[in-house]
Amino acid sequence: MDEKPVNSVLPEVSRRRVLAVGALGVASLVFPVAGGRAADTSAPMFVYVGSYTKNPPGGGGNNPVGLSVFRFDPGTGALAPVQQVQSANPSFVALDPSRRFLYVINEIDDYAGQKSGSAEAYAIDPNTGMIKLLNRQSLNSPIPAHLAVNPTGHRLVIANYIGGDFVVLPIEDDGRLGPVSGRVKDTGSGPNEKRQEAPHPHSVVFDPGGHFIAAADLGIDKVQIFRLSDGGLARVSEAAVAPGAGPRHIAFDSGGKRLYVVNELNATVTSFSYDPATGQIGKELQTVSTEPAGYNGPHSTAEIVVHPSGKFLYASNRGHNSIVCYRIDPSTGLLSVIGFAAQGVNFPRNFTTDPSGKWLYVANQKGDTILQFEINPDTGELKPTGQVTPSMTPVAIVFRTGG
């Protein structure tokens, strides 16, 4: 039985019938959409934020709502609140390539009497940005951590942290999610007894060509490549990071020939060569620290993002409370540190750039805010703009461009 959310819409926004119109892929922020049609940047632009509603990992206040919709002003980068929708611990969010639907994982382990997490599908009104629940499906596995929609918009891939597996759900033509159609389960452990006692899949992301899925398993120190096959997943290749590193999230360079993984437990970024034609992970190219020299505090990274220009890479530190900025060497893909942005940063769970690459937005889980930085297009340096948007325990941010 689908659960209906309670919508809390701010007074200045009128209620309208939600149309089935939609969205772009989480964290990829690519202007082209399905069929090669460019997104209409003159149309209204909206931002969707998933937030913890109970017992947030790492701490922070409890949020009585969950999902938030903001209107994005491309001139100033300001985020104006539009809608709030009740949902159970909606952490990461993704939008399909047609920009018609929003997908959400519920980071829970108690759905419908099962020890399971769930995923939700929403339709988007292209004029108001408002969302309406279509349906919700069990994942038959607890505590999902991340999700990705394939380039055709027909499959949703999810990494389940506690379940130790990756699952696939079909997406119907009307945007609704079907039941789990395939599953791959990891095995093994790592040297960190508290965090690596078992497999802990932490992220999934399609490569730039859309043919393969890169996945990080924090519990077994592995980066893996899968492909979709008969409603499920087939293993293609894998690579190991340093024992105890704890790979968390992954980003590709703009050419799709290098893969970068941010390691949560030892606060590093490891880069690998990658063959986009075969999905084979090549040799390790480099491992660099995400923290400044002399830092002796706790290690905890979260997100990794390549700038839309392909010239810079950013990663978040939840121990040092900063965003580290790297320059990407265009010929080798090697990273060199530009600097650290720390002003106003408070346990940065996730961050992303706007589609133009002008601004970077940080989800401050413990600060209950979304923090804006201006990106220097020549140097990649981050400058605080002073613009701070209230948002309780934010986890993930995704932009929707065009109608």
Side-chain angles (χ1 to χ4, degrees):
M1 194 71 167
D2 297 343
E3 297 182 12
K4 295 182 180 180
V6 179
N7 294 342
S8 175
V9 184
L10 300 183
E12 67 270 21
V13 181
S14 62
R15 292 184 180 270
R16 302 182 186 180
R17 183 173 61 89
V18 176
L19 306 176
V21 180
L24 193 64
V26 69
S28 57
L29 296 175
V30 181
F31 278 106
V33 296
R37 179 173 58 88
D40 179 8
T41 55
S42 65
M45 297 175 67
F46 300 97
V47 173
Y48 299 88
V49 178
S51 302
Y52 284 125
T53 57
K54 61 178 182 178
N55 304 321
N62 287 336
N63 182 346
V65 181
L67 293 171
S68 299
V69 182
F70 297 88
R71 182 162 183 150
F72 172 69
D73 183 337
T76 65
L79 306 179
V82 170
Q83 182 191 23
Q84 292 183 313
V85 176
Q86 287 187 351
S87 178
N89 245 26
S91 56
F92 276 83
V93 293
L95 294 94
D96 83 309
S98 73
R99 308 191 307 279
R100 298 174 61 198
F101 309 110
L102 174 74
Y103 296 97
V104 176
I105 52 171
N106 303 108
E107 196 172 311
I108 59 175
D109 63 358
D110 57 354
Y111 177 60
Q114 302 177 354
K115 189 173 179 58
S116 175
S118 58
E120 297 173 328
Y122 292 84
I124 302 175
D125 185 313
N127 298 311
T128 66
M130 291 169 62
I131 58 176
K132 180 180 181 180
L133 181 68
L134 294 174
N135 77 327
R136 186 175 179 185
Q137 283 283 1
S138 171
L139 301 179
N140 303 320
S141 191
I143 311 294
H146 205 242
L147 76 171
V149 182
N150 81 315
T152 68
H154 293 146
R155 296 287 186 274
L156 180 67
V157 183
I158 295 175
N160 290 308
Y161 183 85
I162 294 297
D165 56 14
F166 301 91
V167 297
V168 180
L169 285 74
I171 298 174
E172 307 299 334
D173 289 342
D174 64 359
R176 292 174 180 267
L177 291 169
V180 170
S181 60
R183 180 185 312 274
V184 170
K185 191 171 182 65
D186 280 345
T187 59
S189 60
N192 187 312
E193 295 181 358
K194 292 183 178 180
R195 297 292 305 280
Q196 295 184 311
E197 80 295 347
H200 290 306
H202 219 306
S203 64
V204 283
V205 60
F206 280 85
D207 69 4
H211 302 299
F212 301 101
I213 303 146
D217 191 318
L218 181 146
I220 60 175
D221 290 321
K222 281 186 180 179
V223 178
Q224 304 174 78
I225 301 296
F226 299 101
R227 61 179 174 84
L228 290 169
S229 177
D230 299 325
L233 294 170
R235 297 184 191 272
V236 176
S237 67
E238 65 178 44
V241 296
R248 181 182 171 93
H249 280 201
I250 295 171
F252 286 90
D253 73 350
S254 56
K257 293 185 178 181
R258 300 178 187 95
L259 178 156
Y260 301 93
V261 56
V262 64
N263 300 305
E264 177 180 344
L265 303 182
N266 71 355
T268 61
V269 171
T270 300
S271 57
F272 294 92
S273 61
Y274 176 74
D275 186 339
T278 65
Q280 294 297 312
I281 303 176
K283 66 177 182 179
E284 179 180 329
L285 302 175
Q286 182 188 32
T287 293
V288 295
S289 175
T290 64
E291 299 163 340
Y295 172 73
N296 295 314
H299 304 309
S300 179
T301 65
E303 189 58 271
I304 185 168
V305 170
V306 172
H307 188 267
S309 69
K311 297 192 298 183
F312 314 112
L313 182 143
Y314 302 93
S316 62
N317 288 301
R318 294 178 298 176
H320 183 250
N321 275 325
S322 65
I323 307 297
V324 59
C325 319
Y326 303 97
R327 183 175 293 101
I328 301 175
D329 185 290
S331 59
T332 66
L334 298 181
L335 305 176
S336 56
V337 175
I338 296 168
F340 298 83
Q343 183 176 324
V345 177
N346 189 349
F347 208 78
R349 181 80 180 188
N350 168 255
F351 66 91
T352 192
T353 67
D354 77 295
S356 73
K358 184 176 181 180
W359 294 292
L360 184 144
Y361 294 83
V362 178
N364 278 330
Q365 180 183 321
K366 290 186 180 179
D368 290 333
T369 58
I370 297 172
L371 186 65
Q372 184 196 49
F373 287 91
E374 183 178 2
I375 302 171
N376 186 309
D378 298 318
T379 68
E381 294 175 295
L382 300 179
K383 177 183 177 181
T385 65
Q387 185 167 283
V388 179
T389 304
S391 180
M392 287 192 68
T393 55
V395 176
I397 308 167
V398 66
F399 281 78
R400 180 191 186 274
T401 60

